[in-house]
Amino acid sequence: MNTECSYKGFAEGRYTLPDLPYDVSALEPFLDAETVTIHHDRHHAAYVEGANNAARILQLVAEGELEENAASVASQQLAFHLGGHILHSLYWRSISPQGGQQPQGVLATAIKNAFGSYAGFEKVFRGVAAGVQGSGWGVLGVLPMCHRLCLCGIRNHQDAVFPGFKLLLACDVWEHAYYLRYHNNRAAYLTAFLKQVDWEGTEKRYEGTCHSKAQAH
Ligand code: MN3
């Protein structure tokens, strides 16, 4: 997976927790302040710490301080925790207090090319995100090789996704993302999410992908 580095998530040799781009209560009524606070300050922070710990173990193996067999588990831990850090960093910027418009410009064209229409995109998004078994993500991204838009249901933070998938928009469907307000009604959370999407920021990320303009024509 790749994503644009338009936010800080790494500094001075360590993964770091980026600040929220808005106040914890700014997403009301979509998300309450308690959900946003716990999600960012505890869940996201734990993935940052886990990524640093796993990276440290890999470094210690390289330095001969730990046995080689420690590397395998650490690499899987890194995939999980760093995947969580990357996806949460994007999640906070996939939604906005000012969100909710429809996609414009080259992104609107790409959505039409890939899904037929914005309504088609919404149908596939709901199907993919609602259908993720257990914990995971509904993610819009750009496919490698063909450079078309695709919706992907990622399990946990790193499973059922392919290398080189360029992330544009991420919806967290772990229960901790929505349970306080929506309980087990993931579908209601997804409906509310779609009304809160920051399409302007998503279009900027799309424009940042090197083949976006070629695809739009
Ligand atoms: Mn989460």
Side-chain angles (χ1 to χ4, degrees):
M1 287 187 288
N2 301 312
T3 192
E4 298 306 306
C5 295
S6 57
Y7 39 78
K8 292 207 184 306
F10 186 85
E12 297 176 1
R14 292 179 61 81
Y15 298 107
T16 56
L17 182 65
D19 292 335
L20 285 170
Y22 33 71
D23 186 79
V24 292
S25 59
L27 295 169
E28 285 275 9
F30 166 52
L31 290 176
D32 55 281
E34 186 178 12
T35 293
V36 173
T37 300
I38 293 172
H39 199 173
H40 177 266
D41 295 0
R42 299 190 200 170
H43 291 277
H44 187 170
Y47 300 129
V48 172
E49 184 180 358
N52 283 320
N53 289 342
R56 177 69 179 148
I57 290 170
L58 291 170
Q59 187 182 346
L60 290 172
V61 172
E63 292 170 356
E65 298 292 324
L66 286 174
E67 297 293 329
E68 289 178 14
N69 60 14
S72 177
V73 170
S75 73
Q76 292 172 49
Q77 290 290 313
L78 184 64
F80 176 80
H81 288 288
L82 182 55
H85 179 28
I86 291 167
L87 286 164
H88 282 90
S89 298
L90 178 60
Y91 176 66
W92 303 122
R93 283 158 179 77
S94 294
I95 45 185
S96 161
Q98 291 81 39
Q101 303 85 6
Q102 291 206 352
Q104 305 289 328
V106 291
L107 180 60
T109 303
I111 285 174
K112 194 174 178 193
N113 288 344
F115 305 103
S117 63
Y118 177 75
F121 157 80
E122 280 204 337
K123 285 180 189 172
V124 180
F125 172 84
R126 285 177 203 280
V128 165
V132 173
Q133 286 189 317
S135 300
W137 296 78
V139 177
L140 176 68
V142 180
L143 289 169
M145 297 186 175
C146 74
H147 311 297
R148 284 177 69 87
L149 293 182
C150 179
L151 281 156
C152 185
I154 299 175
R155 287 197 304 273
N156 295 317
H157 301 136
Q158 78 285 19
D159 296 333
V161 66
F162 27 79
F165 189 48
K166 195 89 171 174
L167 309 176
L168 299 178
L169 173 71
C171 179
D172 192 339
V173 297
W174 287 56
E175 283 189 343
H176 65 231
Y178 60 85
Y179 204 86
L180 291 182
R181 174 139 298 173
Y182 301 91
H183 301 153
N184 62 336
N185 193 346
R186 188 188 287 181
Y189 162 72
L190 294 175
T191 297
F193 175 91
L194 284 168
K195 293 177 181 169
Q196 213 71 46
V197 168
D198 179 5
W199 285 112
E200 194 178 333
T202 303
E203 187 185 0
K204 282 181 185 160
R205 285 188 288 277
Y206 178 65
E207 286 175 334
T209 64
C210 55
H211 295 279
S212 60
K213 288 187 170 60
Q215 185 198 19
H217 294 298

